[in-house]
Amino acid sequence: MSVSFNDIYHSNLKRIYNLALHYVQDITDAEEVTQDVFVKVHKELHTFKGASSVETWVYRIGINMCLDFLRYKNRYKRKAFLIPLFKTNSGGAEIPLELPDFHHPGIEAEHQQQSRVLYAALNRINENQRTAFILCFVEEIPQKEVAAIMGISVKAVESLLQRAKAQLRILLEKEYDFRRVRK
Amino acid sequence: MEKEKWIEGVINSTKGKAMAEVDGNFTARLLARIEEPENAAPVVSMKWLSAAACAACLLLVCNISLLHKWNSIKQKSVNSSIVSSGSNYLPEGLDQDYNFFN
């Protein structure tokens, strides 16, 4: 299977960078993760046997690197040890959302504030649910392709997406109530 | 109703977004990284790796010597208890005039 790195890079760069932006919610960090992804793709290209499409393979590397980056970052985040104390089945809905200091460059100005709330809520849900939501709902990738990327069935993707939306609703309802009280 | 509208607005806030673009010199930086991967500093330097190996060896030696010491102390205490219990059966410890036929 001969695929040139140049072709992979040019056809996937934007997608991987945007994917990283949704996960890490910081422009500099997203660029760093995107660089790591393509360095890995360049290094591992000879191992790619063509069992899946190149896009699926690159996406998989991208998601894993984003999650690794977040795990590494959260390990050193101050006060991170306090979060599990408040976490419950509702995904930590008992504490107000911490809005990230991030403005997605592609989102219109009028939706920036709402998207920050969405990103904060996404940070509170389970990794698999978050991945399903970002890929299906935010990136609008077909469920069949998402299933191939995540290595699960289409039914499982549907279920993850439903649960992600349900969790987000719980968090957002609480956040709405917190905001009402604060006013 | 207002709450529901707000939640829907938040969930759909990324709809219709444009794709973000990387910084202008991103490709040049990436190529520089790919061309010189060997120059990247290793996560743990050789100095610390050798220090960790030495510490592990030292720990192993200490453990083995402690085990040896512990075994010899245990052996000594067993021997001394046998020797001390033997004195109970010495003739001076027994009643010499005991009449077994009484």
Side-chain angles (χ1 to χ4, degrees), chain A residues 35-147:
Chain A
Q35 288 233 345
D36 291 345
V37 171
F38 284 105
V39 167
K40 186 155 187 172
V41 167
H42 183 265
K43 213 168 144 188
E44 308 279 325
L45 191 57
H46 67 282
T47 65
F48 178 65
K49 299 278 184 272
S52 60
S53 73
V54 181
E55 284 73 25
T56 302
W57 181 63
V58 177
Y59 256 118
R60 239 181 248 165
I61 294 175
I63 292 165
N64 287 332
M65 296 210 105
C66 287
L67 292 174
D68 284 348
F69 180 87
L70 289 176
R71 284 181 205 129
Y72 178 81
K73 202 176 169 187
N74 288 339
R75 209 179 299 159
Y76 295 99
K77 205 172 163 187
R78 287 173 76 198
K79 298 182 204 166
F81 68 94
L82 286 174
I83 292 169
L85 297 176
F86 298 99
K87 273 199 174 171
T88 59
N89 291 336
S90 55
E94 283 69 22
I95 45 173
L97 297 173
E98 263 180 69
L99 299 198
D101 188 19
F102 166 65
H103 299 276
H104 189 293
I107 294 175
E108 291 166 26
E110 62 192 273
H111 297 306
Q112 283 290 351
Q113 190 59 22
Q114 288 172 314
S115 69
R116 284 176 69 208
V117 178
L118 178 66
Y119 283 126
L122 276 174
N123 291 342
R124 291 268 181 93
I125 65 173
N126 162 303
E127 280 178 359
N128 283 337
Q129 292 173 11
R130 194 188 321 167
T131 299
F133 187 85
I134 289 175
L135 296 181
C136 295
F137 202 77
V138 181
E139 285 296 297
E140 297 175 9
I141 299 171
Q143 286 192 359
K144 201 176 164 190
E145 210 178 312
V146 174

